[in-house]
Amino acid sequence: MNFTDLNFVKAYIRMADDGWNQGWHERNGGNLTYRLTPAEVEESKPFCADNAEWKPIGADVPELANEYFLATGSGKYFRNVKDFPDESFALIQVDDKGVNYRILWGLTAGGRPTSELPTHLMNHAVKVACGQTENRVIYHAHPANIIALTFILPLDHEVFTRELWESATECPVVFPDGVRVVPWMVPGGREIAEATSVYMKECNAVVWAHHGLFCSGTTFDETFGLMHTIEKAAEILVKVRSCTATKVQTITKQDFIDLAKAFGVKLAY
């Protein structure tokens, strides 16, 4: 049996490959992290190196002390995750203070975890600190339509959310907390990590202007489904805007109230 035969690793690989097939990961774009359960950690131990060097995370995440994560590699291509998993991602462990990590498996051709590891881990830490301990997946990709909207819509949380909600009836049910929008920032740095973590306390989807989408969830299916739903709504909106400057009809405020009541959700806006 290999590490890649473990069920959670197979699910991780499938999600990465699904994202590639959607066209969300040009070249080495995007990254995916997953926080292991205690049972999955035990399953992984026979495949772990025990002499790996500790390296600084670039952020302090004491909430994640001694936690284990799967993380795609910096400069690695999502298109290769399925065929060359041991070269494309890694199993890492955070130290007992939450300031360093070490690679226990993977990245056999060299390299390090994604350059946005500080952003991912800071946001995993936020979810843990908020009591959302079942939230284990964080996914960043570059879906074209949501990026396109950041050039034509105000970078306003409510405006973005309502436009997406109006684009497809299921949207308010799938993400009732809405989306938040971060203006353009240098990727991989502390500034964008901190800005995103503020909003991750409130919702599971943050739009990075002119860059992409950052989503979180409890499972691979839930997280991928969230991004897929948002991007499909964005695609519909792009098509509508390409056809007309004015909507002839749309989902009204009362419609949203009725929808929320029918599905038992509380809408953020």
Side-chain angles (χ1 to χ4, degrees), residues 119 123 127 139-141 143 146 150 157 160 164 175 178-183 192-209 211-216 226-227 230:
T119 305
N123 284 278
K127 292 299 186 182
Y139 182 35
H140 168 54
I146 197 72
T150 66
H157 312 319
F160 240 91
L164 292 170
F175 52 104
V179 301
R180 304 298 184 272
V181 186
V182 170
I192 195 169
E194 291 178 344
T196 305
S197 66
V198 169
Y199 298 132
M200 275 286 158
K201 297 174 184 177
E202 307 168 356
C203 69
N204 285 324
V206 178
V207 177
W208 287 354
H211 183 164
L213 186 58
F214 194 85
C215 289
S216 185
L226 174 60
M227 185 168 294
I230 292 172

Side-chain angles (χ1 to χ4, degrees), residues 161-162 164-169 172 250-261 265 267 269:
T161 296
R162 291 302 290 261
L164 292 170
W165 280 355
E166 287 182 24
S167 296
T169 298
T250 188
I251 303 171
T252 68
K253 182 176 181 180
Q254 185 59 51
D255 292 336
F256 284 130
I257 293 171
D258 294 342
L259 188 68
K261 182 178 179 180
V265 296
L267 301 183
Y269 301 110

